[in-house]
Amino acid sequence: VRAGTPRGAMKIKRVGSTPLSVVEVHAVVSEERADLEKRHAAFSEDGGGGVGVREDRVSLERQLDGARAMTEYLAKCYPVTAHANEEAVQSFLQSASKFPLSSTEVCQIIDLAPTDPIYYCGICPDLDDDQIDQLIGLVRQHLLPPTPEPIADGKVDKGGGEGAPSAASEGAAADAAGGAPSTETAAAT
């Protein structure tokens, strides 16, 4: 099944047991959830007159509740679903194709998006330290959101914007001018 294709255009690409990553499952269930929400809204507006209305409404609500629960579960347990999409996964797969990994190992790496080398010892024990470091770089590049860069004094730049003074720069400016840092800067240091 290919996630991200228009409704009704999803096709089975290969018959057999091929693992799906949580990113793929999340995309498929999210797509189905959106369709169920539209059907539920239309059903509620229309009143769903006709035979079997109660069963249809109950079935539709049960499906919608299941889709909501599944997407919420995946988002809570697998944070990679919040950032990675089909394009990110494809980029990762293309970059990681040079490593001797099975489809199960690749799927686990995509699902867990580990950035600590210890996880790779359990997922793909045949890789050497250099290969593990390269995979961690690929995971950070393709599957995870960008992390804030540390600034010179070891504090993290939380995106104050270009030209926005940080507490450290305000303190340094006050020291250079011979004055005391502001109370906000003093409290932050």
Side-chain angles (χ1 to χ4, degrees), residues 38-62:
K38 288 177 190 173
R39 288 176 39 213
H40 186 264
F43 192 86
S44 296
E45 286 177 10
D46 182 26
V51 178
V53 171
R54 183 184 178 296
E55 291 79 16
D56 289 342
R57 178 180 302 273
V58 169
S59 174
L60 184 59
E61 287 174 352
R62 186 176 299 130

Side-chain angles (χ1 to χ4, degrees), residues 15-26:
V15 176
S17 64
T18 303
L20 291 175
S21 73
V22 293
V23 175
E24 293 169 307
V25 172
H26 187 267

Side-chain angles (χ1 to χ4, degrees), residues 9-164:
M10 292 172 45
K11 304 284 183 214
I12 296 174
K13 295 182 79 175
R14 186 180 344 159
V15 176
S17 64
T18 303
L20 291 175
S21 73
V22 293
V23 175
E24 293 169 307
V25 172
H26 187 267
V28 170
V29 175
S30 294
E31 187 177 308
E32 184 64 22
R33 177 181 171 177
D35 182 59
L36 287 167
E37 287 171 343
K38 288 177 190 173
R39 288 176 39 213
H40 186 264
F43 192 86
S44 296
E45 286 177 10
D46 182 26
V51 178
V53 171
R54 183 184 178 296
E55 291 79 16
D56 289 342
R57 178 180 302 273
V58 169
S59 174
L60 184 59
E61 287 174 352
R62 186 176 299 130
Q63 291 174 38
L64 185 54
D65 288 344
R68 283 183 185 135
M70 176 63 83
T71 54
E72 289 170 11
Y73 168 80
L74 291 173
K76 286 179 185 174
C77 295
Y78 298 95
V80 71
T81 60
H83 176 72
N85 57 23
E86 186 177 351
E87 290 174 21
V89 170
Q90 290 302 321
S91 290
F92 173 79
L93 290 173
Q94 186 175 18
S95 298
S97 65
K98 64 183 178 182
F99 299 102
L101 299 169
S102 70
S103 59
T104 303
E105 292 168 336
V106 170
C107 196
Q108 284 186 317
I109 292 169
I110 292 169
D111 289 351
L112 301 174
T115 57
D116 191 332
I118 194 72
Y119 291 103
Y120 290 88
C121 295
I123 296 171
C124 36
D126 297 332
L127 297 180
D128 62 36
D129 290 345
D130 185 48
Q131 291 172 317
I132 290 172
D133 290 341
Q134 290 176 32
L135 270 174
I136 290 171
L138 293 176
V139 164
R140 284 188 173 130
Q141 178 183 352
H142 298 289
L143 301 178
L144 298 176
T147 56
E149 294 293 323
I151 53 178
D153 63 359
K155 295 182 181 177
V156 175
D157 179 12
K158 297 197 177 170
E162 276 191 48

